[in-house]
């Protein structure tokens, strides 16, 4: 598959270009709002980017099969639709849209256009995700609680991740991972409650503490931009527990997993891989086969429904029901 990249975003530079280069597919074009920036970006890599473009629209005329869309959150839907208009498949960085209604509309639009769209939630492709869910399903009994955290220090107040106009905020940037992670163990919550802080008066949540309620379990997570980096997970079941660090963005490093079942404690080392490469390959396989991508419409919309409810709860200062 021949990929083009919309924008010179940092995640494209750091993660997606190396991932495509290591896959069986190729990167052939990159677009920026400025031709010189696109050319300088391309020249930084030992990758044969054949074409550079000084506008996002121009990329759609390139000889590409699909685009990777890492634009700011508020622009994801618009440029995914524009790519679909050009007959291009889209791997769109998470969160794919600003809310669940927009996600439904984008999937409908892409279906009508006959193209595949997948939300780029790369942690889903790292083996630590499959292994923790496998242990929970096969070794742990009834899960009663899941706790998770994804935080890091963000000092730059000009960063797009703290822009209200671009749908920034800690929940959208890093909190969406624990939401997805918790749902991977417990499914869809009935109700949620959230408390958000805007500690730097930028107009978005820079910290959030949340609770997800289930009939027979509950979950909590923290996300934010004000405290040191941590990405953790702990699952508590009636017959044991499991916990791991670096579960959402482990890079290519090994990940340590510890768990206890019926009093027997075990430790495993999950060998490091590049989850971005696996994500690219899974997306391309879905396009080629015509099958639903592994992160499909239902998964993306379900995650956004919970995010919508968390924002509603934080605004109302009370727990709310997650909509169907």
């Amino acid at each position: 598959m021949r990929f083009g990249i919309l924008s010179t975003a940092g995640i494209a530079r750091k993660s997606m270009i190396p991932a495509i280069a290591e896959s069986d597919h190729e990167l052939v074009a990159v677009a920026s709002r400025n031709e010189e920036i696109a050319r300088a970006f391309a020249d930084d890599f030992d990758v044969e980017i054949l074409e550079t473009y000084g506008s996002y629209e121009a990329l759609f005329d390139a000889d590409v099969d699909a685009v990777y869309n890492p634009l700011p959150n508020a622009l994801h839907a618009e440029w995914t639709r524009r790519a679909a208009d050009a007959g291009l498949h889209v791997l769109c960085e998470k969160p794919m849209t600003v809310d669940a209604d927009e996600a439904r509309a984008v999937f409908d639009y892409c279906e009508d256009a006959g193209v595949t769209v997948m939300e780029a939630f790369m942690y889903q492709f790292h083996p630590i995700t499959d292994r923790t869910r496998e242990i929970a399903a096969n070794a742990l009994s009834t899960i009663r609680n899941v706790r998770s955290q994804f935080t890091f220090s963000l000092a730059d107040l000009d960063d797009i991740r703290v822009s209200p106009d671009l749908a920034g905020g800690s929940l959208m940037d890093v909190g969406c991972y624990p939401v997805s992670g918790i749902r991977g163990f417990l499914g869809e919550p009935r109700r949620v409650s959230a408390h958000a802080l805007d500690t730097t008066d930028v107009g978005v949540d820079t910290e959030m503490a949340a609770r997800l309620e289930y009939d027979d379990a509950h979950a909590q997570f923290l996300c934010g931009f004000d405290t040191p980096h941590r990405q953790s997970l702990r699952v508590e079941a009636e017959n044991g527990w499991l916990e791991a660090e670096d579960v959402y963005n482990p890079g290519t490093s090994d990940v340590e997993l510890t768990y206890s079942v019926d009093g027997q404690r075990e430790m495993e080392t999950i060998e490091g891989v590049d989850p971005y490469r696996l994500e690219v390959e899974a997306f391309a396989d879905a396009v080629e086969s015509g099958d639903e991508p592994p992160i499909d419409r239902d998964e993306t919309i379900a995650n956004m429904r919970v995010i919508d409810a968390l924002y509603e709860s934080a605004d109302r200062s009370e727990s709310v029901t997650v909509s169907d």
Side-chain angles (χ1 to χ4, degrees), residues 8-260:
T8 56
I11 192 170
R13 177 186 297 273
K14 179 182 177 182
S15 301
M16 189 55 64
I17 287 179
I20 296 173
E22 291 298 319
S23 74
D24 293 331
H25 309 285
E26 56 182 330
L27 175 64
V28 299
V30 62
S32 175
R33 289 171 293 179
N34 180 289
E35 169 68 25
E36 293 181 0
I37 292 175
R39 185 69 261 165
F41 179 85
D43 289 343
D44 283 344
F45 297 94
D46 186 22
V47 176
E48 189 180 2
I49 299 177
L50 301 180
E51 299 171 344
T52 57
Y53 295 89
S55 72
Y56 302 146
E57 296 96 334
L59 179 69
F60 300 147
D61 294 326
D63 184 16
V64 296
D65 306 303
V67 296
Y68 169 61
N69 179 357
L71 292 166
N73 297 334
L75 303 180
H76 284 171
E78 174 188 353
W79 288 97
T80 294
R81 288 192 295 264
R82 291 199 186 190
D85 288 340
L88 300 176
H89 308 286
V90 184
L91 179 61
C92 182
E93 193 52 53
K94 61 79 198 164
M96 198 177 82
T97 57
V98 299
D99 57 36
D101 286 342
E102 188 175 63
R104 292 186 191 94
V106 168
F107 278 108
D108 288 345
Y109 196 95
C110 290
E111 182 178 348
D112 290 343
V115 302
T116 297
V117 60
M118 186 179 90
E119 186 177 29
F121 235 135
M122 57 77 196
Y123 96 96
Q124 298 265 28
F125 299 93
H126 195 284
I128 187 64
T129 302
D130 283 343
R131 183 57 182 144
T132 54
R133 292 176 182 178
E134 179 183 45
I135 292 169
N138 298 331
L140 296 180
S141 58
T142 303
I143 295 173
R144 295 301 187 190
N145 179 249
V146 179
R147 298 194 300 276
S148 191
Q149 178 174 337
F150 198 165
T151 57
F152 72 99
S153 298
L154 178 62
D156 182 5
L157 297 185
D158 292 323
D159 193 289
I160 63 170
R161 289 172 288 190
V162 291
S163 168
D165 293 337
L166 297 176
S170 65
L171 176 58
M172 292 288 277
D173 186 53
V174 289
C176 57
Y177 288 91
V179 171
S180 173
I182 289 166
R183 290 179 45 257
F185 293 101
L186 293 174
E188 307 310 320
R190 292 186 300 103
R191 296 182 64 82
V192 301
S193 56
H195 177 62
L197 300 174
D198 179 3
T199 58
T200 51
D201 196 29
V202 290
V204 300
D205 56 293
T206 58
E207 293 285 318
M208 181 176 284
R211 175 184 172 90
L212 281 61
E213 301 175 16
Y214 296 82
D215 289 338
D216 299 313
H218 55 95
Q220 305 86 31
F221 75 85
L222 300 174
C223 62
F225 297 147
D226 297 328
T227 59
H229 177 260
R230 189 181 184 198
Q231 34 176 319
S232 64
L233 171 71
R234 183 173 175 97
V235 178
E236 301 275 358
E238 291 183 349
N239 69 330
W241 51 265
L242 71 81
E243 62 181 11
E245 297 283 341
D246 300 324
V247 288
Y248 297 124
N249 189 13
T252 57
S253 302
D254 293 350
V255 181
E256 301 294 331
L257 167 64
T258 307
Y259 59 97
S260 175

